[in-house]
Amino acid sequence: MNRLIPLPLIVGLIMVASARASAADPVDTAPVMPLAFEAKAEGEIARMAALVYSATQHQARYLLDLIHPWQDDASLRLLTDSRSEEHWIRPNTGTVQGLCFLYRFGPYDERVVGLSRTELISQAILPMIRYLTTTHLTGTRPTSDGKPWGDAWQSAHWAQMLGRGAWWVWDDLPDDVRRQVRRVVAHEADRIAKTEPPHRIQHDTKAEENAWNAQILSVAVLLMPEDARRAGWESAFQRWVFSSFLRPADASSERIVDGRTVAEQFTGANIYDDFTLENHGFVHPDYMTTFSLSLGCALDYTLTGRKPPEALLYNTAGIYENLKWFLLPDGGFVYPSGQDWTLFRHPGWIHVHILQAVYGRDPDAWQLAGRSLAAMEKMQARNPSGAIFSEGEFFFPSTQTDRLGSMACDWLVLQTAGEIADRFQQRLGIRRLDAGKLILHRTETMVNSFSWGAKVMAQPTPLAMDRIVSPDQRNGIGQVRLTGSRFALPIEVREVSVENGDDWFEARLILDHGRAVRAELRFRSDPDGEWTMHEKLVALDDVVAAEIATGLIGILNNPHWIYEKGRREIAIDGRTHVVPAAAGRELDAAAARIAIDRSLVIRIDPPTTIRYAGGSGPERGRVTDRLYLNYLGPDRPLKKGQVVSEYTAVVRRAEMADAER
């Protein structure tokens, strides 16, 4: 029986088909922006580029072993399980970008990678791109969780990796893949272009999000330079980039950037006036590196002979200067307010330093890039598979794949670099950041820090390849737990004051552990790096303490980290105890002098009972043992007004202690 189709429905179907055709046909035949590339690195730049390329090939070999057919369609391939969210899309787009780079550029060695270039594109790149475009909102099928990916808080970031990788290998992509990639990129770019950049300073900056969203707009122009939307994408790109790292003071700035005053372009602030930045509820050095997301787009302009917008570098020098004060000899950071990500993120900072060396013309950046690269070489050398990170050093699913994509960009930036300024200057003295509420004191042997903002912390950190101290967010404070409870009492700050000179600081702090114990604390950093901790505990009420464990210094003790030995030697008043990494061993002892690996020496007056609690496994990508300089328990009755304990501890590097004797 014939069924009549309503005329409005027929008209609607024709309009949809026509719209799709009109949107698709011009894009199908239009060229991409020409890629003008010539490898011209020489001397030290070429040497660093060669190391980066070698690391990229080895990392690719490791990741290629993880690629497998999609369970719903064996002709398509992916690295992860098939799901629509970040941890299952981002690793795949990052891998695609890195593999496309290797296919298109550099002295490729199939003996290292494990596939010829022909096999790389046929067996990995094309089936992975087809999986990603098929399961996007603009595609034809959902992922295996029943949902397509796209229109998510970070999906523009994932799509830009896919699009940039495709641009690099465009000449060797089939027509259907080109159409599909363009469709994905245009969809995500249009969404961002129509949205206003958000802003927030406290707790959760929007700097990182704005920077990663900007990238898709740059990639859209690369893939569709003749599209009618290009002008809108370019305008939105400059707006999103510029919005990322604005300070409150920029609201009245008359400085000219990209032809207009900063004040005219001001839409809101994402960082403090002292160039610190908060994320996850505290000042976070890792997120201060995220200007690399937007600044990395300068490469798109370099490879196409265009002048990058000035907005790409706006405020990055001030942020980067702060980062130099956080940096340690091994290429990692000191974390005055703690670290809730993994600690050993050294390979990620290579990208930050190279961008600042090449585009920011920063004279310190070249040596800092070398530090991080040296750490990455050692990390990768541990693993025959080619993987950079070892088990237990990471928990974020994109950790390994992000490095592949960023190293690809690093090599290209180095190949297009001009002269590099290399005049490194060690930061020594005081860096006080009142908006971020932290202070650092760098000496020749130590970097001592105090944070009095969202996280209250005080810690001494040796300036050595083995940093020893773990950035536990209770460092300097510790904990009090009452009988009958499994949890430490919350901390409430009552008073805080910080004084400093050019080469010293002193912090005084009064805080309460719940309503049970008041701590009167003093932390002082002297010109020679000596760190003094004074603590007096007074009972606020009649309570029974199950545990008083204060004066905490977190101690790193990792089984495989490149600058550690897989154990710690703890000398307590001359008697040495060996604590293997991740063994969970505990030591309780009366102590007047403690030495950690004959490197970090602590003197306590009067002597206290200390506890060394070894970690049993990785927490947030590292193993932390906890040294409590004042340990009292169990079930200790306290009377209101009672002085529970009082002591002074002096922490020094071993060289200082030896010279004293």
Side-chain angles (χ1 to χ4, degrees):
M1 181 175 65
N2 294 328
R3 293 186 178 181
L4 295 177
I5 301 175
L7 182 60
L9 178 59
I10 295 174
V11 173
L13 291 172
I14 293 172
M15 290 178 65
V16 169
S18 176
R20 285 180 175 173
S22 63
D25 290 346
V27 173
D28 292 347
T29 58
V32 294
M33 189 164 284
L35 192 161
F37 174 77
E38 179 184 356
K40 61 179 184 180
E42 297 178 350
E44 285 300 303
I45 300 176
R47 185 188 67 81
M48 182 176 287
L51 294 174
V52 169
Y53 196 89
S54 175
T56 307
Q57 290 194 111
H58 284 86
Q59 186 75 350
R61 182 185 71 208
Y62 158 69
L63 292 172
L64 284 167
D65 284 342
L66 304 179
I67 296 172
H68 57 272
W70 183 24
Q71 64 188 44
D72 294 353
D73 185 341
S75 69
L76 307 182
R77 298 174 71 82
L78 68 164
L79 189 82
T80 62
D81 290 340
S82 177
R83 296 183 61 177
S84 57
E85 297 167 338
E86 175 185 2
H87 298 332
W88 296 271
I89 301 299
R90 178 171 165 178
N92 287 288
T93 58
T95 299
V96 164
Q97 176 172 310
L99 297 181
C100 287
F101 160 75
L102 287 174
Y103 177 79
R104 171 66 176 79
F105 301 103
Y108 188 85
D109 189 340
E110 64 183 60
R111 294 169 299 178
V112 175
V113 179
L115 295 175
S116 68
R117 273 181 161 146
T118 300
E119 292 169 329
L120 186 68
I121 195 167
S122 64
Q123 297 179 23
I125 293 172
L126 285 174
M128 289 188 75
I129 291 179
R130 283 196 165 106
Y131 167 79
L132 289 163
T133 56
T134 296
T135 58
H136 186 258
L137 283 167
T138 60
T140 57
R141 302 172 67 179
T143 65
S144 295
D145 66 11
K147 295 178 287 187
W149 68 276
D151 286 358
W153 75 299
Q154 200 189 68
S155 59
H157 182 38
W158 317 332
Q160 63 86 18
M161 292 185 274
L162 169 66
R164 186 174 285 107
W167 179 58
W168 289 338
V169 299
W170 195 257
D171 289 346
D172 293 322
L173 295 181
D175 286 343
D176 66 309
V177 173
R178 293 178 179 180
R179 287 194 298 270
Q180 291 161 5
V181 170
R182 279 175 159 154
R183 191 172 61 228
V184 171
V185 170
H187 178 90
E188 297 290 342
D190 286 344
R191 177 173 63 86
I192 298 303
K194 295 172 184 176
T195 307
E196 290 301 315
H199 298 88
R200 185 183 298 164
I201 297 179
Q202 290 185 314
H203 186 74
D204 178 22
T205 181
K206 297 305 171 187
E208 179 196 30
E209 296 172 33
N210 292 5
W212 77 45
N213 281 330
Q215 296 171 299
I216 191 66
L217 299 160
S218 178
V219 172
V221 174
L222 295 177
L223 295 183
M224 293 161 277
E226 297 183 358
D227 194 284
R229 293 165 289 184
R230 173 177 174 174
W233 289 334
E234 289 179 322
S235 176
F237 173 71
Q238 194 276 348
R239 184 173 74 252
W240 277 83
V241 168
F242 196 65
S243 75
S244 300
F245 300 97
L246 290 172
R247 303 179 299 151
D250 291 323
S252 57
S253 173
E254 293 301 310
R255 177 177 169 183
I256 303 297
V257 175
D258 294 322
R260 294 190 295 156
T261 68
V262 171
E264 287 180 87
Q265 303 180 67
F266 184 81
T267 50
N270 277 317
I271 67 175
Y272 288 115
D273 281 332
D274 62 6
F275 299 100
T276 56
L277 172 156
E278 276 193 19
N279 213 356
H280 296 191
F282 56 95
V283 173
H284 208 310
D286 289 7
Y287 286 92
M288 291 164 65
T289 70
T290 57
F291 63 76
S292 62
L293 295 169
S294 47
L295 181 55
C297 292
L299 178 63
D300 299 340
Y301 287 79
T302 301
L303 292 177
T304 53
R306 295 174 294 152
K307 180 181 178 181
E310 295 169 344
L312 288 172
L313 283 167
Y314 191 71
N315 281 340
T316 64
I319 300 169
Y320 191 58
E321 178 60 29
N322 279 339
L323 289 173
K324 295 173 192 176
W325 286 81
F326 293 115
L327 276 162
L328 294 170
D330 69 345
F333 291 131
V334 65
Y335 293 93
S337 299
Q339 166 63 308
D340 58 350
W341 281 111
T342 56
L343 191 61
F344 307 122
R345 304 184 72 185
H346 305 55
W349 313 146
I350 299 170
H351 188 55
V352 177
H353 301 313
I354 286 177
L355 291 177
Q356 278 294 335
V358 175
Y359 299 122
R361 308 296 183 191
D362 190 289
D364 297 302
W366 187 251
Q367 285 201 31
L368 297 178
R371 287 188 195 180
S372 294
L373 182 57
M376 186 182 71
E377 286 185 275
K378 290 179 178 293
M379 293 169 70
Q380 197 169 43
R382 301 171 301 178
N383 301 315
S385 67
I388 292 173
F389 296 91
S390 292
E391 185 177 357
E393 289 176 356
F394 71 99
F395 55 86
F396 186 65
S398 298
T399 298
Q400 301 274 25
T401 57
D402 280 355
R403 297 289 65 76
L404 187 72
S406 69
M407 288 190 297
C409 293
D410 291 338
W411 188 87
L412 288 168
V413 170
L414 289 170
Q415 292 296 337
T416 58
E419 185 178 351
I420 297 288
D422 183 12
R423 299 184 302 275
F424 176 75
Q425 183 177 353
Q426 178 74 278
R427 269 45 179 183
L428 297 173
I430 294 291
R431 187 73 163 179
R432 179 167 179 154
L433 300 163
D434 282 305
K437 296 184 179 179
L438 57 88
I439 188 167
L440 299 98
H441 181 202
R442 294 181 68 96
T443 71
E444 295 287 354
T445 57
M446 301 284 288
V447 53
N448 299 323
S449 61
F450 176 65
S451 169
W452 66 94
K455 300 296 179 183
V456 180
M457 279 178 62
Q459 65 183 5
T461 305
L463 277 175
M465 300 303 275
D466 181 357
R467 58 185 293 157
I468 299 179
V469 173
S470 179
D472 190 293
Q473 289 187 322
R474 289 268 183 154
N475 271 351
I477 309 299
Q479 63 187 33
V480 174
R481 183 170 55 85
L482 298 183
T483 297
S485 175
R486 295 184 296 115
F487 303 104
L489 291 169
I491 291 171
E492 184 175 356
V493 176
R494 296 297 183 183
E495 296 179 22
V496 61
S497 66
V498 182
E499 297 180 354
N500 69 274
D502 293 338
D503 205 22
W504 64 272
F505 77 80
E506 181 169 297
R508 293 180 179 270
L509 178 68
I510 297 177
L511 61 79
D512 292 344
H513 292 269
R515 298 181 179 177
V517 176
R518 174 159 292 173
E520 299 174 11
L521 299 162
R522 179 173 61 87
F523 304 101
R524 182 177 176 88
S525 182
D526 284 317
D528 61 359
E530 181 177 278
W531 175 252
T532 301
M533 306 166 57
H534 179 84
E535 177 188 75
K536 179 180 179 181
L537 300 181
V538 179
L540 293 174
D541 204 349
D542 296 344
V543 295
V544 179
E547 178 183 61
I548 295 174
T550 57
L552 172 63
I553 301 176
I555 304 295
L556 292 170
N557 195 1
N558 293 278
H560 305 300
W561 178 239
I562 56 175
Y563 297 123
E564 295 180 33
K565 300 176 182 177
R567 67 183 186 280
R568 290 294 182 192
E569 293 183 4
I570 315 301
I572 303 174
D573 289 342
R575 183 176 180 182
T576 300
H577 308 264
V578 177
V579 180
R585 184 179 177 186
E586 293 186 347
L587 301 170
D588 292 344
R593 186 180 186 275
I594 307 165
I596 311 295
D597 282 354
R598 304 178 184 178
S599 179
L600 198 66
V601 177
I602 306 163
R603 295 184 182 276
I604 309 172
D605 183 31
T608 62
T609 298
I610 64 102
R611 166 164 285 193
Y612 188 95
S616 58
E619 306 168 48
R620 311 300 289 180
R622 73 268 193 185
V623 181
T624 298
D625 297 349
R626 290 174 172 85
L627 170 60
Y628 298 101
L629 300 182
N630 183 41
Y631 188 81
L632 305 171
D635 298 329
R636 178 177 292 262
L638 305 179
K639 294 295 183 182
K640 183 177 180 178
Q642 173 189 349
V643 176
V644 179
S645 61
E646 184 171 8
Y647 68 93
T648 299
V650 178
V651 182
R652 299 182 174 210
R653 280 280 298 277
E655 297 92 332
M656 298 167 61
D658 292 342
E660 183 183 71
R661 291 181 300 191

